[in-house]
């Protein structure tokens, strides 16, 4: 009976994590559009929507703590609940960074000589695929998919380095473009951090499945 | 008896968090010196020392999970253990950022036309005081001190904005200084994130004391 109730609550908890993942996916899709079109009103909307993700994070944390207190889960179940507590922190941080990037998008709409770095779109797409695959690997409890996410982190790091060089060259060639390039430098830093957080989540999914913590990050 | 054992384990857990805090304090002190003197060998040492903090984070996480499983704590005790699980993540991220900054310090030692931003030292000092006060407020279970930390976050954000403007001006006035300024831009971004993580920890300390989660971050 207790076990039955626990499984019921765990399913509801999972659903809330998946709901949080869906909200995050929407934010990421929106931020990609806002970044490409430099759409200040969409960026403002993303910042507003961040509150719902924050609220859901706190709700899930409270649910986790209540479940541990009431049901006193052991072994795999406890591992799952404590991992979810960690995962939602990273999900929330990725969403935070969508809002952080949106603030720079709004700044960019007011700046002149805005030249988007060549590989920005590719960098965004790899990061996005990492987040989506992380959510999928959570839903499907798929360790192989989680490992794919971890492997992709280097690709994002390489994009960060090459775009950072590109922006340095643009600034050296065009003084007027410097303020906008600084905005893009911050944006690619956030993109790189988002990929790091996706990697953290993938490592927690590995932990749920295997019981072994991956060192790193 | 179980309660007695739990209190014993909680004291040990607290000691490990404090140990982690001491290692972090050392990293921050070192990074301040390395940043001021642009000392590549000290920066290399900071990067190496980061492993010990990572290991301690995983050890504390395992201890928290084991304590929850074995002792099945309730109410305040459970809140304390789950909060520690969250706190160590932020402590580890701050330490990570010490290592991230150290990598940029090494880059700076190879760059020319390196001009340190005027208020960098002040920004570092405010961030450092936030981290130290956070650790203190944990040790002393001092909610007022935790609130002071939260209030300081805006000061660091303001430094970030003003130094970012200063670096933009330096770049506009001296093309040769651009690569080094990009390194400093990344460094101040990490400093700002470190202050954010200190704020997160302070909010968890508030939660341990009051049972109420502060919205934000």
């Amino acid at each position: 009976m207790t076990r039955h109730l626990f499984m019921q609550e765990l399913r509801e908890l999972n659903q809330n994590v998946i709901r949080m993942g869906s909200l995050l996916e929407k934010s990421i899709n929106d931020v990609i559009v806002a970044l490409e079109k430099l759409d200040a009103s969409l960026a403002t909307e993303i910042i507003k929507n961040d509150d719902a993700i924050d609220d859901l994070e706190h709700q899930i944390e409270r649910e986790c703590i209540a479940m541990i207190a009431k049901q006193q889960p052991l072994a795999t179940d406890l591992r799952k609940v404590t991992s979810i507590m960690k995962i939602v922190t990273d999900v929330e941080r990725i969403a935070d960074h969508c809002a952080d990037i949106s603030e720079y998008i709004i700044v960019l709409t007011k700046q002149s000589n805005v030249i988007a770095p060549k590989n920005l779109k590719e960098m965004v797409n790899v990061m996005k695929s990492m987040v989506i695959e992380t959510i999928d690997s959570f839903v499907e409890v798929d360790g192989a998919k989680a490992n794919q996410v971890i492997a992709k982190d280097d690709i994002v790091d390489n994009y960060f380095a090459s775009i950072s060089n590109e922006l340095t060259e643009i600034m050296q060639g065009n003084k007027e473009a410097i303020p906008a390039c600084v905005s893009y430098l911050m944006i690619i830093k956030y993109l790189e951090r988002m990929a790091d957080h996706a990697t953290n989540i993938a490592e927690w999914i590995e932990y749920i499945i295997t019981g072994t913590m991956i060192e790193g990050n």
Side-chain angles (χ1 to χ4, degrees), chain A:
Chain A
M1 179 57 189
T2 304
R3 171 89 191 152
H4 179 77
L5 183 59
F6 179 82
M7 292 312 287
Q8 171 65 23
E9 288 195 7
L10 192 57
R11 268 193 299 275
E12 283 168 19
L13 191 63
N14 254 321
Q15 282 308 312
N16 274 338
V17 176
I18 294 167
R19 231 176 85 211
M20 201 178 166
S22 303
L23 289 177
L24 176 62
E25 202 175 324
K26 186 184 178 324
S27 280
I28 288 180
N29 284 331
D30 286 348
V31 95
I32 290 174
V33 174
L35 190 56
E36 204 183 338
K37 301 190 176 165
L38 296 184
D39 181 337
S41 75
L42 184 54
T44 308
E45 207 184 297
I46 295 164
I47 295 167
K48 258 191 238 151
N49 290 343
D50 192 38
D51 282 349
I53 296 181
D54 287 350
D55 291 345
L56 205 43
E57 184 206 7
H58 289 306
Q59 184 192 326
I60 292 170
E61 277 168 355
R62 276 190 298 266
E63 285 169 359
C64 286
I65 295 174
M67 275 177 78
I68 296 171
K70 277 191 310 182
Q71 314 283 351
Q72 306 177 332
L74 293 172
T76 319
D77 291 340
L78 178 61
R79 205 157 70 211
K80 184 139 200 185
V81 177
T82 52
S83 299
I84 285 175
M85 278 194 71
K86 290 288 198 170
I87 286 171
V88 293
T89 307
D90 285 296
V91 171
E92 188 264 344
R93 296 277 162 83
I94 298 173
D96 258 1
H97 292 341
C98 287
D100 292 325
I101 290 174
S102 297
E103 285 180 14
Y104 279 105
I105 291 171
I106 294 168
V107 172
L108 274 169
T109 62
K110 295 168 191 160
Q111 287 173 319
S112 52
N113 290 273
V114 175
I115 307 159
K118 267 200 306 276
N119 289 318
L120 182 64
K121 220 177 151 176
E122 277 73 24
M123 184 182 185
V124 170
N125 283 336
V126 179
M127 182 280 294
K128 180 189 163 181
S129 74
M130 286 175 72
V131 174
I132 306 242
E133 282 161 25
T134 302
I135 298 168
D136 288 350
S137 65
F138 177 83
V139 176
E140 298 157 14
V141 199
D142 183 340
K145 200 169 267 180
N147 274 325
Q148 280 171 24
V149 172
I150 296 167
K152 275 190 188 174
D153 196 30
D154 283 345
I155 303 174
V156 173
D157 287 348
N158 290 339
Y159 273 125
F160 173 80
S162 72
I163 296 175
S164 174
N165 288 337
E166 187 189 344
L167 288 166
T168 301
E169 281 169 28
I170 294 173
M171 290 192 285
Q172 285 176 323
N174 179 359
K175 208 161 80 164
E176 308 301 321
I178 290 176
C181 286
V182 170
S183 298
Y184 277 121
L185 279 167
M186 294 304 154
I187 288 172
I188 61 170
K189 193 74 214 164
Y190 282 121
L191 292 173
E192 187 230 18
R193 298 304 304 165
M194 289 160 92
D196 281 347
H197 287 297
T199 304
N200 290 342
I201 298 172
E203 288 175 354
W204 280 107
I205 292 166
E206 271 292 290
Y207 174 67
I208 292 174
I209 297 170
T210 64
T212 309
M213 280 183 193
I214 298 171
E215 302 297 323
N217 281 289

